[in-house]
Amino acid sequence: MIGEPEVEGDGGDPEGAWTEGASADVVRGGVRGARTRPWPWVLGAVVATSAVWALVLQLSGYGKESVPDLHHYRISGSPCGGSSLKPLTDALGAGHVEVFPADTQTGPALDQAECTLTAQRSVGTHWQASYSTVVTVQLHKKTDPAAEFDDVGSGRHTLEPVAPSDDGSGTTTAILATGGSTHVVRVPDLGDRAYLLTSGRDETLTVLHGGAVLTVAVDVQEKWTGPGAVPPPDADGIPQRPPRQAGYRSALVATMRGLMSALSGPASQARNETP
């Protein structure tokens, strides 16, 4: 004889479990009731893990630009003070040099100072040379100035390597030609990178060293002091020109080394730490 089907479990169909309108959320042996959902736990674990990783990345500095190394350079007083510029002033051969006060500005991202000195002397017969030297110091404390520095004057010069040339200093360097009458020479063994820009009789030496950009520029103006408004012509009918003066590369390099030492030495640090 066929009996009633047996229902697995210990209580069969609970009373009212399958009555009209009852919930179908039933398990064998009883009503399941409110279901426990795992999502709050999962979301909590994700949030906690994200917080931990955010803290790790923050502590490790991930995603942040590294602060430029200033190599202990500090601005105190005028960059034109002291004996830093003596190699250059000696090379100019002027009896009197006038130094103007420095313009100094400091800020959270950039400290900078600029000073000017002028000198005059006679060159040849009835010619006078006037020299204006500008010293600029920029200390970039937040962003690396290397990319801008390599533009060599904010893109005014397009560097094109040409054949190496011995400039007479005992070191063979590559001359980089630029548009117009300006030439750029890379100077070795000075900071991270250094360039000498020459335009006519004007010369500028600029150096990148970490976050520091240091520049010494010499502008030369020559004036006829003889009779008449202009110099008389030579045998070929061409107006006389002032005697050619030697370049100042060696003096500029020696001056730059002295300036770098003065700005990064203990005396400079002590002056800056004085209240």
Side-chain angles (χ1 to χ4, degrees):
M1 183 176 64
I2 300 175
E4 294 294 331
E6 296 181 358
V7 180
E8 292 183 8
D10 57 358
D13 182 15
E15 184 178 355
W18 294 99
T19 58
E20 184 178 356
S23 171
D25 190 10
V26 178
V27 295
R28 296 173 182 178
V31 180
R32 177 178 298 173
R35 178 179 297 177
T36 302
R37 301 179 185 274
W39 300 114
W41 294 95
V42 173
L43 292 175
V46 170
V47 171
T49 303
S50 300
V52 171
W53 273 109
L55 179 60
V56 170
L57 294 177
Q58 182 178 7
L59 294 176
S60 64
Y62 178 81
K64 295 183 178 179
E65 289 191 23
S66 59
V67 177
D69 185 358
L70 293 180
H71 297 282
H72 304 292
Y73 291 118
R74 300 188 183 186
I75 296 175
S76 61
S78 172
C80 293
S83 59
S84 301
L85 305 187
K86 191 175 185 303
L88 181 58
T89 56
D90 288 348
L92 297 179
H96 175 71
V97 176
E98 184 176 2
V99 180
F100 294 87
D103 180 13
T104 303
Q105 299 177 3
T106 60
L110 175 67
D111 291 348
Q112 57 184 347
E114 182 178 288
C115 59
T116 302
L117 62 85
T118 60
Q120 293 181 345
R121 74 181 179 96
S122 296
V123 290
T125 303
H126 301 307
W127 287 98
Q128 183 181 67
S130 298
Y131 307 94
S132 177
T133 300
V134 179
V135 179
T136 305
V137 178
Q138 294 181 332
L139 304 181
H140 298 260
K141 298 182 285 186
K142 297 294 185 181
T143 57
D144 189 349
E148 289 79 3
F149 180 84
D150 285 335
D151 283 343
V152 191
S154 301
R156 288 192 296 270
H157 309 291
T158 303
L159 303 185
E160 300 177 359
V162 297
S165 173
D166 188 353
D167 63 357
S169 63
T171 303
T172 300
T173 57
I175 296 178
L176 305 176
T178 66
S181 58
T182 301
H183 289 80
V184 179
V185 178
R186 184 156 185 173
V187 182
D189 304 321
L190 194 60
D192 297 328
R193 288 187 291 284
Y195 296 108
L196 178 69
L197 290 76
T198 304
S199 177
R201 303 194 182 191
D202 302 337
E203 295 183 77
T204 299
L205 176 62
T206 184
V207 175
L208 172 72
H209 196 194
V213 178
L214 304 95
T215 304
V216 180
V218 179
D219 176 77
V220 182
Q221 300 290 332
E222 291 154 324
K223 179 181 179 181
W224 169 254
T225 60
V230 295
D234 59 16
D236 297 325
I238 301 174
Q240 297 181 25
R241 298 183 60 83
R244 182 174 180 82
Q245 301 182 58
Y248 302 104
R249 169 173 173 159
S250 298
L252 283 169
V253 171
T255 296
M256 182 62 74
R257 293 191 188 279
L259 179 63
M260 295 168 70
S261 177
L263 292 174
S264 62
S268 175
Q269 297 181 27
R271 287 192 296 268
N272 279 277
E273 292 169 358
T274 302

